[in-house]
């Protein structure tokens, strides 16, 4: 059984940085397409970044966020710089078999429990 566990969230001031981590157990993450989503209270879940054959970002985070992977450690990271209050949300790691990513959240069958990011002064 595959599990994803996120960590690294917290409270940060505007302009600050955080690095989120997602560790996969029970599978070889190298053969999975991985993504980061976020969901703010009262809002729909939003794609932040996805990694399939190439990495894609939501327009709202381009130039500020970076998705990276360390397949040997079964890790996926999201480096978040220049954080803004609008980035406040619960961030989720998601995975699907194969190397074709999708922007559709329903296309990911494996989800972590999420980690809260709060950007506030």
């Amino acid at each position: 059984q595959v599990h994803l566990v996120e960590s690294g969230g917290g409270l940060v001031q505007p302009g600050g940085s955080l690095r989120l981590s997602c560790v996969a157990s029970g599978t070889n993450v190298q053969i999975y397409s991985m993504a980061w989503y976020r969901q703010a209270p009262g809002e729909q879940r939003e794609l932040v970044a996805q990694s399939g054959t190439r990495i894609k970002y939501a327009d709202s985070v381009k130039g500020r966020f970076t998705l990276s992977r360390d397949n040997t450690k079964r890790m996926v990271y999201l480096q978040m710089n220049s954080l803004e209050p609008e980035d406040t949300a619960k961030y989720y790691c998601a995975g699907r078999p194969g190397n074709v990513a999708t922007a559709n959240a329903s296309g990911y069958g494996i989800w972590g429990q999420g980690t809260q990011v709060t950007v506030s002064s």
Side-chain angles (χ1 to χ4, degrees):
Q1 194 168 4
V2 179
H3 292 282
L4 300 176
V5 178
E6 304 95 333
S7 62
L11 173 64
V12 63
Q13 292 187 341
S17 298
L18 283 174
R19 188 175 83 153
L20 306 183
S21 300
C22 171
V23 59
S25 61
T27 186
N28 181 358
V29 71
Q30 183 174 3
I31 62 173
Y32 273 65
S33 177
M34 304 296 293
W36 285 96
Y37 279 79
R38 66 186 181 187
Q39 188 168 21
E43 302 289 334
Q44 288 190 335
R45 194 164 291 192
E46 173 192 21
L47 176 67
V48 176
Q50 61 184 36
S51 170
T53 53
R54 58 189 179 123
I55 299 175
K56 296 181 181 179
Y57 298 94
D59 288 342
S60 59
V61 306
K62 278 182 183 176
R64 300 188 298 123
F65 290 12
T66 302
L67 184 156
S68 62
R69 304 175 60 149
D70 185 339
N71 291 330
T72 61
K73 297 181 180 178
R74 300 183 176 186
M75 297 292 296
V76 183
Y77 304 99
L78 186 68
Q79 177 67 44
M80 305 186 296
N81 299 327
S82 303
L83 283 161
E84 304 168 352
E86 293 74 22
D87 296 317
T88 294
K90 196 165 189 179
Y91 284 69
Y92 297 88
C93 179
R96 57 182 264 141
N99 63 0
V100 178
T102 176
N104 190 340
S106 64
Y108 291 91
I110 306 164
W111 292 83
Q113 83 290 348
T115 184
Q116 179 67 37
V117 172
T118 303
V119 185
S120 175
S121 55

